[in-house]
Amino acid sequence: MADETSSVSKGCFLIKRTSAKSPRKRTAEDYFPEVAGESITHRKLRYKNYIECWESMKNEIECLQSQMNSKIFSDLMSFIKGAHQGNSVERIKTIVIHEIPTAALITGVNMPDHDVVFSQLATELKDQVTPFVAVLSSKDCAVMKATMKNVISQFIGYDVEDEGDPVSSPQGKKITSFTMPVLCHWYKKMTQNDDSKRRPKRSHCSDHRPPLVIIFEDFEGFQPTVVQNFVTICSQYLSELPLVLVFGIATAVTTIHRVLPHAVSSVLSIERFQSQPSHISVLEIINKVLMTAKFRFKLGARVLRFLYDNFLLHDFSLQNFARGIQFCLMEHYYESPLSVLCCVSDESRKDILDKMTHKQVEMCRKTLSFRRYVEGSPASKQLELLLEDSKTKDVIADLLENLDQYHWHFFPVLKCLHVVTSNLPRHPLGKKLYDVYESSLSSNICDKTEYGEAMSLLRVYSRDELLPLLEKCIEILGSALIENESKLHCQKLRESKDVIEGIFHQFRDLNVLQETQEQASSSSHREALSTFTNRFELQERLMSAAKQKRRESPYDRLRQSTVDNLDAMFRKFLTCPRNLPLFEVMYYDNVLETKKHLMGMPRLAIQTALSNPQYYLKCKCCQTDVGTVQDTFPDICIAYKLHLECGRLINLYDWLQAFRAVLDPQTEQQSVEGSPKKKQRTDDQLHARFIQAVSELQFLGFIKATRQKTDHVQRLTWGAC
């Protein structure tokens, strides 16, 4: 009896420790790797800096997302508030409303972000418009009965229970049916003026009949028959319930007409609302989070390109893009011991530098950028940098301060470069600010041929095209100076702004001078034309004038000076960050590690696990040479390695015999010496294990059944791994 009821999972029992001292619970910072020469305090500081930096970046991203959704949400609020505003109770009794106010909210194809968008929308509606909001998802509304139960349960305020369990109200009554009459009866009670106890608080809604808003999160995922029947039922109760529908659409409004026939869509009064495209939103996140000196952590060119390309080519998800930034930030603080200097505040950086050990200073000396800095220094200073830790700490502090100053100057000037080159023909530096930033991260942008082409095109700009660009540059630099007015290192940026302002005023003065000159030249030109007696003399005079070299006008000289000054400003501030000493402290550019964790390769992982289980199990028993099979492998690994030795069709009996030969090589000897019962038990166990391994390989897609031969399976892969 015990053998028949034996199971792998027999029970789970709690055994308390008898020792008085319990082990200390490990925290997140304990998992940071220990580096030789780094103190425990600095290792914990790395984790603390990561948390502080990510919290500030996360708050900035959430603030940007709320600002992106505020415009579309405000329009939706106005639409829902005015949907039934003119329909009073007395009017509803006399007329019948045939059209349901419906908002078609086009959210885009970034499906992972829709949950956040609609949860935020529901919260805004409950706070500002109505307390009655129901959010439906296609996975919970497969049939009409489940849809009605979800809607009515969310309105009345109960959770959705199992089908067999009735729902009890707070007054102790049981609700066994979820139909529209039940909802009408409940809504009538809630909106009665004499029943003040049961009426919900609606300080934000002046209407005594707040609308009932039903949100379909993923409209394309609903069954067409369910939506058709639901809309038809709702249209019959509009005289009693002020219903408003919100369809979350990922593609286009034509989806509604494709899902709903004309007889059903005719009862909907549809208004279209378009949310901001995700590819524009991600550029705003890059501009406000990554392209700013407010956060010291920065991404390198390769990692930034990978995250942006992964966003464009896969899911358009802002959440996944933010998770990629978080992973890069975590990996930077986890892998690099020097990231302890990438602090949020300047005071903590000074304390860390004072407490750095000799080995930590040596880590700074071994970085490639610091070695270049030492090689470019005088010989006397090189000895101090390599031998004296106190002098080296002072230099490190100055270099990090210079790196901060570089960022405060770099980003406003980079925006100026984007402003003056974004509308050039053929867009040599790209249309977006992201393109200019990516180019500047890889190498000096001023040394590229595209930059030279852009400057050449600027030298032929007209006055009407050049003046707005200068005005925008003055505005960008002025706003940067206002933000950093407490910084002492903004003097150079202020000088550049003053130079551009002076040029701008010269252009205005030149306009007045040119107007008078043009009037004088036009009058003299008319007088010269009147002296010619025939057209041949006029033709000779014009041909001789065309052969003469054109003299530079005052505007030409001023335009040349303007482009030269802009070029000098760009070359001064737009140095590639990889050329600066100790840029490794703030920049993360390990694209291989980022790809490994953010881009899953399931096929490669499965084949690696089956061919080399020791790679994941980390056990000594699975260590073996390539191509060999041993009995310590998991059953599926043995079956996988054996199937690699077969051709397109695999004989199941031969495969089973090879499987038995690996796991039990002494089968024939045991069959002679052992008892028949023992042999039968062993064969049954091996047979069951083989069937399970083959079933798992079939589930993973390595083999499939074939009709060519009943006792064969077909192999679906080629070659060996």
Side-chain angles (χ1 to χ4, degrees):
M1 187 68 181
D3 294 335
E4 294 179 0
T5 59
S6 62
S7 175
V8 177
S9 57
K10 294 183 179 180
C12 181
F13 304 92
L14 175 64
I15 302 176
K16 296 184 178 181
R17 293 179 60 89
T18 56
S19 60
K21 294 183 179 180
S22 58
R24 184 179 68 89
K25 185 178 180 180
R26 300 191 69 181
T27 56
E29 62 263 20
D30 294 331
Y31 290 94
F32 272 56
E34 298 181 3
V35 181
E38 185 183 26
S39 62
I40 300 177
T41 305
H42 283 185
R43 190 179 68 191
K44 293 183 177 181
L45 273 175
R46 278 196 283 154
Y47 176 74
K48 180 182 177 183
N49 292 340
Y50 157 70
I51 293 296
E52 292 178 354
C53 187
W54 172 243
E55 285 298 325
S56 57
M57 296 176 77
K58 180 182 177 183
N59 293 335
E60 185 71 20
I61 293 174
E62 291 177 351
C63 181
L64 287 173
Q65 288 181 328
S66 62
Q67 291 176 4
M68 296 169 196
N69 296 328
S70 60
K71 178 63 172 63
I72 187 68
F73 283 175
S74 63
D75 295 341
L76 266 174
M77 303 299 170
S78 302
F79 170 75
I80 295 174
K81 284 180 181 179
H84 295 276
Q85 194 171 9
N87 299 325
S88 60
V89 179
E90 292 77 10
R91 185 184 178 190
I92 290 174
K93 291 180 180 179
T94 58
I95 65 172
V96 178
I97 305 175
H98 294 287
E99 292 186 348
I100 307 174
T102 304
L105 178 57
I106 302 177
T107 53
V109 295
N110 50 332
M111 301 297 291
D113 298 336
H114 290 178
D115 292 339
V116 178
V117 172
F118 285 108
S119 62
Q120 186 179 356
L121 175 60
T123 304
E124 295 280 344
L125 287 172
K126 291 179 181 178
D127 293 340
Q128 302 181 21
V129 180
T130 174
F132 309 128
V133 180
V135 182
L136 303 181
S137 179
S138 60
K139 63 182 179 181
D140 301 326
C141 304
V143 294
M144 190 62 195
K145 184 178 180 181
T147 304
M148 295 299 299
K149 189 171 184 178
N150 270 282
V151 171
I152 297 175
S153 298
Q154 291 186 49
F155 279 142
I156 299 178
Y158 309 117
D159 296 330
V160 178
E161 303 288 341
D162 294 333
E163 290 296 328
D165 298 335
V167 181
S168 61
S169 65
Q171 293 80 15
K173 298 180 181 179
K174 300 289 184 178
I175 299 176
T176 57
S177 62
F178 294 89
T179 57
M180 294 300 285
V182 173
L183 183 61
C184 294
H185 179 69
W186 168 83
Y187 186 76
K188 184 177 180 181
K189 283 188 176 182
M190 297 298 288
T191 54
Q192 283 178 350
N193 295 328
D194 56 344
D195 194 359
S196 59
K197 294 183 180 180
R198 296 183 181 180
R199 192 188 317 145
K201 296 180 180 180
R202 298 188 303 274
S203 58
H204 52 272
C205 186
S206 59
D207 190 5
H208 294 292
R209 290 173 53 83
L212 300 170
V213 183
I214 304 173
I215 302 175
F216 292 76
E217 278 192 7
D218 47 342
F219 181 78
E220 290 93 344
F222 282 83
Q223 294 292 334
T225 55
V226 173
V227 181
Q228 294 170 17
N229 295 334
F230 183 79
V231 171
T232 304
I233 293 173
C234 289
S235 65
Q236 304 300 321
Y237 289 89
L238 274 178
S239 58
E240 302 179 38
L241 298 174
L243 295 170
V244 179
L245 303 181
V246 178
F247 292 159
I249 302 172
T251 52
V253 183
T254 55
T255 306
I256 299 178
H257 302 286
R258 187 171 63 250
V259 173
L260 303 178
H262 177 71
V264 179
S265 61
S266 60
V267 301
L268 299 177
S269 177
I270 303 174
E271 187 166 342
R272 179 178 178 271
F273 297 89
Q274 175 73 54
S275 63
Q276 181 172 303
S278 57
H279 68 274
I280 297 178
S281 303
V282 75
L283 291 177
E284 292 188 8
I285 292 177
I286 293 175
N287 296 343
K288 298 296 179 63
V289 177
L290 299 179
M291 296 179 57
T292 176
K294 184 165 57 175
F295 306 114
R296 282 176 171 160
F297 172 75
K298 299 289 180 293
L299 292 179
R302 295 180 299 172
V303 172
L304 180 61
R305 188 185 303 112
F306 164 73
L307 292 180
Y308 187 65
D309 291 344
N310 191 41
F311 167 83
L312 293 178
L313 299 176
H314 284 82
D315 52 10
F316 285 92
S317 173
L318 298 177
Q319 281 187 315
N320 292 344
F321 184 80
R323 290 193 188 103
I325 296 176
Q326 182 183 8
F327 171 79
C328 295
L329 179 68
M330 179 185 65
E331 188 71 14
H332 177 64
Y333 281 100
Y334 180 81
E335 291 292 341
S336 175
L338 297 180
S339 61
V340 70
L341 297 173
C342 188
C343 307
V344 179
S345 61
D346 297 332
E347 292 76 11
S348 57
R349 177 190 284 175
K350 294 178 181 178
D351 296 338
I352 292 171
L353 281 171
D354 294 337
K355 298 177 182 179
M356 283 181 66
T357 61
H358 172 72
K359 291 187 177 180
Q360 287 179 301
V361 177
E362 284 294 326
M363 293 178 192
C364 295
R365 289 170 178 159
K366 291 179 181 178
T367 58
L368 183 61
S369 61
F370 191 81
R371 282 187 292 175
R372 288 200 304 261
Y373 174 76
V374 173
E375 292 172 358
S377 302
S380 58
K381 192 177 181 180
Q382 289 182 5
L383 294 176
E384 293 180 354
L385 293 174
L386 296 177
L387 299 177
E388 298 183 15
D389 290 348
S390 59
K391 296 288 185 181
T392 307
K393 290 180 182 179
D394 295 338
V395 173
I396 291 173
D398 294 338
L399 293 177
L400 294 177
E401 180 66 23
N402 293 337
L403 198 57
D404 291 337
Q405 295 180 13
Y406 162 80
H407 286 141
W408 288 111
H409 297 153
F410 176 80
F411 292 109
V413 177
L414 187 72
K415 292 177 182 178
C416 293
L417 176 62
H418 166 67
V419 164
V420 300
T421 60
S422 58
N423 293 324
L424 291 175
R426 299 189 301 274
H427 305 286
L429 292 179
K431 293 183 181 180
K432 302 183 292 292
L433 180 60
Y434 163 80
D435 300 328
V436 185
Y437 181 53
E438 183 189 349
S439 299
S440 63
L441 286 177
S442 56
S443 61
N444 285 332
I445 192 171
C446 297
D447 297 336
K448 296 185 176 181
T449 57
E450 294 84 358
Y451 175 82
E453 182 182 353
M455 291 297 106
S456 300
L457 292 172
L458 278 177
R459 298 183 192 276
V460 296
Y461 256 28
S462 65
R463 180 176 55 223
D464 296 336
E465 293 172 330
L466 195 57
L467 282 179
L469 302 181
L470 294 178
E471 195 171 0
K472 288 182 181 179
C473 291
I474 294 172
E475 183 181 352
I476 292 172
L477 297 178
S479 61
L481 290 173
I482 292 174
E483 292 178 2
N484 311 321
E485 57 184 357
S486 60
K487 306 291 181 181
L488 300 177
H489 52 256
C490 293
Q491 183 62 30
K492 297 179 180 179
L493 204 62
R494 188 173 290 106
E495 293 175 357
S496 300
K497 176 178 175 290
D498 295 339
V499 171
I500 298 177
E501 283 182 341
I503 294 173
F504 185 75
H505 293 313
Q506 290 180 24
F507 270 108
R508 287 194 170 180
D509 298 338
L510 186 63
N511 290 341
V512 180
L513 179 62
Q514 281 191 343
E515 287 178 0
T516 58
Q517 290 180 353
E518 287 176 359
Q519 291 176 1
S521 62
S522 61
S523 61
S524 62
H525 184 64
R526 284 195 298 269
E527 293 176 358
L529 289 176
S530 62
T531 59
F532 296 112
T533 58
N534 53 45
R535 61 180 181 178
F536 298 104
E537 293 181 3
L538 177 60
Q539 182 180 5
E540 290 178 0
R541 179 65 64 88
L542 292 176
M543 291 179 63
S544 61
K547 292 178 181 179
Q548 293 178 359
K549 186 177 180 182
R550 180 178 175 273
R551 293 183 302 173
E552 284 190 354
S553 64
Y555 170 74
D556 295 334
R557 291 192 293 270
L558 185 56
R559 180 178 58 187
Q560 183 71 19
S561 175
T562 302
V563 177
D564 291 341
N565 282 285
L566 289 174
D567 181 47
M569 182 180 69
F570 297 149
R571 292 184 181 275
K572 180 179 180 181
F573 294 112
L574 297 184
T575 308
C576 179
R578 298 182 65 86
N579 298 333
L580 300 177
L582 294 180
F583 78 95
E584 296 92 346
V585 173
M586 302 183 185
Y587 281 82
Y588 173 79
D589 202 21
N590 191 352
V591 68
L592 296 178
E593 196 70 20
T594 307
K595 281 185 179 181
K596 176 181 175 183
H597 289 85
L598 296 185
M599 285 190 66
M601 293 180 286
R603 178 178 178 181
L604 179 61
I606 291 172
Q607 290 182 339
T608 302
L610 294 178
S611 59
N612 185 17
Q614 198 269 340
Y615 181 82
Y616 291 104
L617 298 179
K618 306 297 182 183
C619 59
K620 296 181 179 179
C621 60
C622 293
Q623 292 180 354
T624 182
D625 297 333
V626 179
T628 59
V629 185
Q630 58 185 23
D631 56 351
T632 56
F633 282 179
D635 292 346
I636 187 174
C637 296
I638 297 174
Y640 173 77
K641 280 182 167 288
L642 292 175
H643 110 286
L644 292 178
E645 301 174 359
C646 303
R648 188 175 66 89
L649 295 179
I650 305 174
N651 190 313
L652 286 174
Y653 180 78
D654 296 339
W655 197 2
L656 173 61
Q657 296 304 317
F659 185 81
R660 291 176 56 189
V662 173
L663 290 177
D664 194 5
Q666 305 295 332
T667 305
E668 296 297 333
Q669 183 177 357
Q670 289 179 359
S671 62
V672 176
E673 299 177 357
S675 61
K677 292 184 179 180
K678 184 177 180 181
K679 175 190 174 185
Q680 182 67 27
R681 188 181 301 116
T682 304
D683 290 345
D684 292 343
Q685 292 176 356
L686 291 177
H687 195 188
R689 291 168 62 180
F690 174 75
I691 292 175
Q692 182 179 3
V694 171
S695 301
E696 291 173 350
L697 288 177
Q698 183 179 4
F699 175 75
L700 293 175
F702 289 96
I703 59 173
K704 73 171 184 178
T706 178
R707 295 183 178 180
Q708 297 181 11
K709 295 183 179 180
T710 56
D711 57 346
H712 284 64
V713 292
Q714 183 179 351
R715 180 180 173 183
L716 300 178
T717 57
W718 291 269
C721 297

